[in-house]
Amino acid sequence: PLLFNLLGACYNKLGQFNPAAQFFETAISIKPDYAEAFLNHGSVMREIGKLDHAAKSFKRAVEILPSYFEAHNKLGVTFIDLNQFEDAIEHLEWAVAYKYDFYEAHNNLGVANRKLGQISIAAKNFEKAIKINQNYTLAYLNLGVTLTELGQKDKAVKCFKKAISIDPDNPLAHEKLEELNSN
């Protein structure tokens, strides 16, 4: 199963998702409790837009290995894409419970909170992501948008400026900063 998983990873890296999926499925058929192969299979299913299949694979990975924080995170993001925000929050909370410094999961949790209208909670999660990784542009962008929604224009401007200082070519940061400065 390890070799089939590795072959799947190679095909995935090459952008050949259908053969990658087949190799992951072979690895899983040989070793039905292979959490990593389920994670990889779910990732490929996301790439080809089969979100329900992706969710099923990520769920199986966390059933096999409940502390698999990466699988919880990917399942949470998949649930966000499926507009299942409560389920997303549940798995993203598990991801950060198992790995507190998982800044991407804190950011994703903020996204799910924001989608549910939990704007203040979202801001706190984006702030946690930034505290862990002070160069995480996406969290600054998300926090800036959220602060704008909260009417905290000056703080939002600082977030977009920080995002630009990290990634000077980021078009979204420039766009959002320009919008705030024109208002």
Side-chain angles (χ1 to χ4, degrees):
L2 175 64
L3 294 177
F4 285 106
N5 190 48
L6 289 172
L7 282 168
C10 291
Y11 276 98
N12 185 30
K13 199 74 165 165
L14 293 170
Q16 296 182 18
F17 303 121
N18 289 326
Q22 290 173 349
F23 281 114
F24 295 134
E25 289 164 9
T26 301
I28 291 164
S29 71
I30 296 168
K31 188 174 182 340
D33 63 345
Y34 198 173
E36 183 181 352
F38 277 104
L39 176 81
N40 292 336
H41 185 262
S43 297
V44 168
M45 292 294 101
R46 277 188 59 80
E47 284 292 331
I48 60 177
K50 295 184 175 182
L51 298 180
D52 289 327
H53 293 308
K56 185 177 177 184
S57 290
F58 296 139
K59 281 182 193 174
R60 186 66 186 117
V62 298
E63 287 169 0
I64 295 165
L65 185 61
S67 63
Y68 203 169
F69 57 89
E70 292 171 80
H72 279 289
N73 181 58
K74 289 188 180 225
L75 181 54
V77 170
T78 302
F79 279 140
I80 289 171
D81 292 342
L82 290 168
N83 296 319
Q84 297 175 17
F85 306 119
E86 282 102 3
D87 292 331
I89 288 170
E90 178 185 347
H91 286 282
L92 293 165
E93 285 177 344
W94 277 112
V96 299
Y98 286 120
K99 184 171 173 46
Y100 181 78
D101 62 348
F102 195 178
Y103 59 90
E104 295 100 333
H106 282 287
N107 180 72
N108 295 333
L109 184 54
V111 170
N113 291 131
R114 200 166 144 250
K115 296 278 190 178
L116 277 177
Q118 301 168 340
I119 307 301
S120 297
I121 296 170
K124 289 178 183 167
N125 280 302
F126 298 135
E127 289 168 352
K128 286 178 189 174
I130 291 167
K131 186 176 182 184
I132 296 165
N133 181 350
Q134 296 175 0
N135 292 313
Y136 190 34
T137 307
L138 185 56
Y140 282 105
L141 290 170
N142 285 328
L143 181 57
V145 169
T146 303
L147 291 171
T148 301
E149 291 175 5
L150 289 169
Q152 298 178 19
K153 181 182 173 183
D154 293 341
K155 288 181 180 180
V157 166
K158 287 179 185 177
C159 287
F160 296 131
K161 285 183 177 179
K162 181 64 178 179
I164 291 168
S165 75
I166 297 166
D167 181 6
D169 298 325
N170 189 300
L172 186 58
H174 286 283
E175 176 188 321
K176 293 296 183 183
L177 184 59
E178 201 173 297
E179 283 176 17
L180 283 176
N181 286 331
S182 67
N183 290 333

